[in-house]
Structures are given as structure tokens and as C-alpha cells.
Amino acid sequence: MTQHHHHHHHQQSTRPRRRCEGTAMGSIVLDLKPGFSIGPFTIGMPICEAFAKIEHQPNIYDVVHVKYYDEEPLKLDIVIEFPDHGFHIRFDPWSQRLRLIEIFDVKRLQMRYATSLIGGPSTLATFAAVYKLFGPTYPGTYDKERCVYTLFYPGLSFAFPISSQQYTECIRTGDAELPLEFSDGTTPVTCRVSIYDSSAKKDVGVGSLLNKATVPPLSAGSLYMEEVHVKIPSLLQLGDELYFTTGGQHMPFGASPQDVWTELGRPCGIHQKQVDQMVIHSVADSHPRTTLCGDYFYNYFTRGLDILFDGQTHKIKKFVLHTNYPGHADFNSYMKCNFGIFGFDVGGSYHDANSKQKITPSTKWEQVKEILGDCGRAAIQTQGSSSNPFGSTFVYGYQNIAFEVMKNGYIATVTLFQS
């Protein structure tokens, strides 16, 4: 499994020599809210919001590792880890929302619950301390294979390493609850704290006996990752609009900037399109020339969408939809656009929005080809610069739709245009 680490602020993995005093081990204190958050990181938040919090406090979160599974990015969580502070936050790979916070090195992170402190180098998170702070709860579960006892509160669990011998000793005294200390005078110390959404009423922890944390439902009317439908009657005849299923807006080709402002609100950014005679440039030419043409983009980063207007007519001529996969140069610039492209007249039969013949951000390039047929060779696009760590992507064009595909076969962007 390949995992990518990068230091969000310092690209080099060696730590800078001058370190802020504030980041010595265990010296930061983060508020712990069961079922809800640790510090600024809230269960259910989109990953871009988490990055914004990190960038807001670079002296605290100065070493950040981002891990994901490169070959199959939807199989495993996207994880943001703070090794100095002993915790990481795990995002569901499809929705890119925070589903689980795990403090895996409790000595490194001091947590404040109500007005008391637990964890960090000075306040050992012993079984007794947890009980005293969070109150009694029902007996936990013991995993014989891992030799871990897990104690549950709503939206919060504590794991304690306990040998099977110690555990048998507890059971023998007829007590399913763990004692605050063992006969040898030692008391168990937490090895992992998990914080997760409590609305599902599940016991969450590590190991086969326990459940996986799920993200809480979005609030009613939330536009986060709303489904955007694109109907394409056939490959020769382009769908004439985007349809936003939650907000109910229809956005056709040929619409004006005023129409777009009215329907989608103020764009997050506006920029001139650069003409790159060498978008698809020969590998020999490492300095593509760029000049401005009159066309311009409206960027809607929170919708994962760019809209290109013709500089002469001021009408929409292209839509660009972004999937926001890690491993692409644009990762974290856009939220994921949850598109559904359907309605192809494949072999004379019409497919609707519920059909298998639907292209979504999860569809791989091989499946796209099965739906749309082969379109020939790809153009190679270097992302940003030739020194980009993410490598190139491949662009495949059909008559009215183009796909930018990553090396792992997943779609990075879809461009809709009228030829």
C-alpha cells in the first residue's frame, strides 16, 4: 500500500531547526468534546475546512502528514496526522468528511474536558482518571487477540492494553468491570482515545468486535456535495445544462454571467483563461508559452465547478467539474463535485439518473470507455509544472466531453463543451 506523506508547510521531512516554543511535546491543550470534536476539528467537517484550520495555526500544526491509498483512493480513509501531537483525523474517502478522531499517543496530547485535563506528559490517562472524569459506564469489551479492553461513552471510547492474564484475573473475581488497579498495584493506561458521531449509537473502536465510525448526516438543505445532473442525449448531441438537484437551479450553455450570479451566487474567483498553445505540448518543450485570450472563468470552489465564458459573447461555453482526489495537483483547491452524467443513448436504449450507465466521481476510466466507447489516444497534460510531484494526467476527448484521468484510472476532471 503506498501512502503519501507530505509536510503541509515544510515540504522537506527534516524538521526546521528553529521551532516555536509552543509546539514542545504535550504543551498544547485541545478541548475534547465527546461525539463532536478535538480542538478545531469537528466530526463531519469537510476535509478542506480541516486544512483551513491547520493553515490558520501553522505554529501549532507545523508538521502534518497526509496519507491516502494512491492506487485505490476510495478504499481507505484519507488521514491527516499530527505526529508531534499524537493524533490523527480520518476522512471518509467518498464524502471527504471527518468521520473519526483518534488520539494514538495519549502522552503527547493534553486534552481538556469541561474544566479538567487528561492526557499529556503530566496527567496520565489511567483507568482511574478516565472513570473519575467521565463517570461510570457499562462494562466494555475485551478483544482477546489484541489484548485490548475498550470502554465506551456516547461518541467516545478509550482503549486499554490489558494482558489476558490480568483480564482473566478480573473475570475470576466475578467482576466483568475492570478494577481501578490490578493486584500487582498497577493501573491500566489508555493507549487510544476515539471520538466519533454518537447519533448512530454504536460502539466504535479498533478491532473486529467493534464498529466503524460513520459520518453524521448533513444538515437539511446542505449544499455540500449536492448531486449535479448532466443529461447527455447522445455523444453527438450535448446535454444542454447542469441541473443542481438540491437548490433546483438549471444552468444552460449560453447563459450570461448575470444568470450565473443570480442562480449560483457570487463566484469564489474569476480569472482570465490562458491560451496555452502547448496544453498538449511536446515533451521536448519544457516552457509552454501562455498568452491571455478574451475568455474568462468563474470558479465556484465550494461546488467543485468552473464555468468558462466566451470573451466576445459573454456566454457559457464550458463547464469543468472537479472530483478532488488526493494525488492530483488541484487537491484541496475545490470541494468534490458530486456529478451524475447519464442519458446516453447507448445501443438505442435511454438510461436515466438511476441507471448503471451513469458516470460519477467514483467511475473509473475503464468503465467510462465501456459506456461511451473508445475515443483513441490520450493527450498528456503536465499538472502545473514539470517538477510537479504528482506527475502527469491523461486527457481523453469525445465530441462534447473530455475526461482528465489520473494514473490510477480515476477521473480528475470532466469538461463539458459544445463543439
Side-chain angles (χ1 to χ4, degrees):
M1 179 178 118
T2 60
Q3 287 191 329
H4 284 229
H5 297 252
H6 74 226
H7 290 78
H8 202 63
H9 295 280
H10 308 290
Q11 286 296 325
Q12 75 277 30
S13 43
T14 53
R15 295 191 183 156
R17 244 179 238 122
R18 277 181 58 237
R19 304 224 35 200
C20 303
E21 284 308 298
T23 56
M25 167 168 132
S27 66
I28 67 163
V29 179
L30 294 183
D31 282 311
L32 181 159
K33 294 180 183 157
F36 190 68
S37 63
I38 188 84
F41 304 109
T42 314
I43 295 297
M45 75 168 18
I47 194 164
C48 58
E49 287 181 23
F51 279 124
K53 302 283 186 197
I54 291 166
E55 274 156 24
H56 192 63
Q57 298 186 292
N59 57 332
I60 294 180
Y61 305 110
D62 63 339
V63 179
V64 178
H65 293 175
V66 176
K67 303 178 183 178
Y68 55 93
Y69 188 20
D70 212 12
E71 279 88 82
E72 285 295 339
L74 293 173
K75 271 222 172 94
L76 300 173
D77 290 336
I78 304 173
V79 182
I80 302 180
E81 184 179 301
F82 308 99
D84 284 359
H85 304 309
F87 76 103
H88 60 211
I89 53 182
R90 308 184 74 105
F91 294 81
D92 170 80
W94 185 78
S95 70
Q96 302 193 338
R97 293 172 64 214
L98 179 49
R99 70 173 189 88
L100 179 63
I101 296 162
E102 290 180 310
I103 297 100
F104 56 83
D105 188 348
V106 185
K107 287 192 303 298
R108 280 183 177 267
L109 185 67
Q110 196 151 57
M111 294 162 275
R112 187 190 295 115
Y113 173 68
T115 54
S116 306
L117 295 176
I118 191 161
S122 51
T123 357
L124 266 190
T126 59
F127 196 76
V130 168
Y131 237 68
K132 186 176 165 212
L133 186 49
F134 294 92
T137 180
Y138 55 95
T141 52
Y142 185 65
D143 184 329
K144 291 189 188 62
E145 262 123 66
R146 292 169 180 263
C147 297
V148 168
Y149 181 90
T150 311
L151 196 60
F152 302 98
Y153 295 91
L156 179 69
S157 70
F158 294 89
F160 298 90
I162 287 171
S163 71
S164 47
Q165 185 190 343
Q166 289 170 319
Y167 186 69
T168 328
E169 181 190 308
C170 310
I171 299 303
R172 225 188 12 253
T173 59
D175 195 5
E177 284 199 50
L178 275 195
L180 296 181
E181 57 176 53
F182 296 123
S183 52
D184 60 7
T186 61
T187 175
V189 178
T190 305
C191 59
R192 180 183 294 262
V193 181
S194 305
I195 302 165
Y196 46 90
D197 175 50
S198 55
S199 62
K201 308 249 185 297
K202 292 196 299 197
D203 291 347
V204 169
V206 174
S208 52
L209 304 174
L210 302 174
N211 294 293
K212 200 173 154 170
T214 48
V215 290
L218 288 163
S219 53
S222 163
L223 294 180
Y224 180 71
M225 268 182 63
E226 96 179 279
E227 271 196 53
V228 179
H229 287 175
V230 183
K231 243 171 159 165
I232 298 195
S234 77
L235 279 180
L236 299 174
Q237 187 193 348
L238 178 67
D240 49 5
E241 62 170 24
L242 297 189
Y243 170 57
F244 296 86
T245 56
T246 307
Q249 305 95 327
H250 294 265
M251 190 48 62
F253 278 96
S256 69
Q258 288 83 341
D259 298 335
V260 176
W261 274 69
T262 307
E263 293 294 329
L264 300 183
R266 185 197 175 110
C268 313
I270 299 179
H271 75 272
Q272 289 281 304
K273 181 175 191 294
Q274 297 195 323
V275 190
D276 195 345
Q277 292 97 357
M278 307 263 144
V279 166
I280 308 160
H281 58 85
S282 67
V283 182
D285 180 2
S286 58
H287 300 291
R289 298 170 289 285
T290 51
T291 50
L292 292 176
C293 65
D295 295 354
Y296 53 95
F297 278 109
Y298 274 13
N299 312 109
Y300 287 91
F301 300 119
T302 56
R303 294 178 179 272
L305 171 68
D306 298 316
I307 298 175
L308 180 70
F309 293 96
D310 183 295
Q312 265 36 86
T313 62
H314 302 286
K315 287 183 171 161
I316 294 181
K317 64 191 250 186
K318 269 185 193 178
F319 294 102
V320 184
L321 315 176
H322 298 260
T323 58
N324 197 41
Y325 276 114
H328 187 262
D330 286 339
F331 176 60
N332 199 41
S333 301
Y334 293 85
M335 288 194 192
K336 180 179 190 168
C337 178
N338 187 12
F339 55 81
I341 304 170
F342 58 90
F344 315 105
D345 180 3
V346 183
S349 58
Y350 179 79
H351 296 277
D352 66 7
N354 303 320
S355 151
K356 291 255 190 304
Q357 301 282 346
K358 178 164 94 165
I359 297 170
T360 72
S362 309
T363 310
K364 293 191 81 167
W365 173 238
E366 288 303 314
Q367 298 161 281
V368 174
K369 278 197 297 201
E370 278 168 33
I371 298 172
L372 298 185
D374 200 343
C375 70
R377 286 186 51 202
I380 296 200
Q381 182 171 314
T382 50
Q383 298 183 43
S385 70
S386 47
S387 61
N388 186 309
F390 301 110
S392 309
T393 51
F394 304 95
V395 180
Y396 295 91
Y398 292 89
Q399 181 118 21
N400 293 303
I401 185 166
F403 296 90
E404 181 195 355
V405 180
M406 298 166 63
K407 285 204 171 79
N408 59 16
Y410 281 90
I411 300 169
T413 61
V414 176
T415 303
L416 307 166
F417 50 92
Q418 287 182 310
S419 54

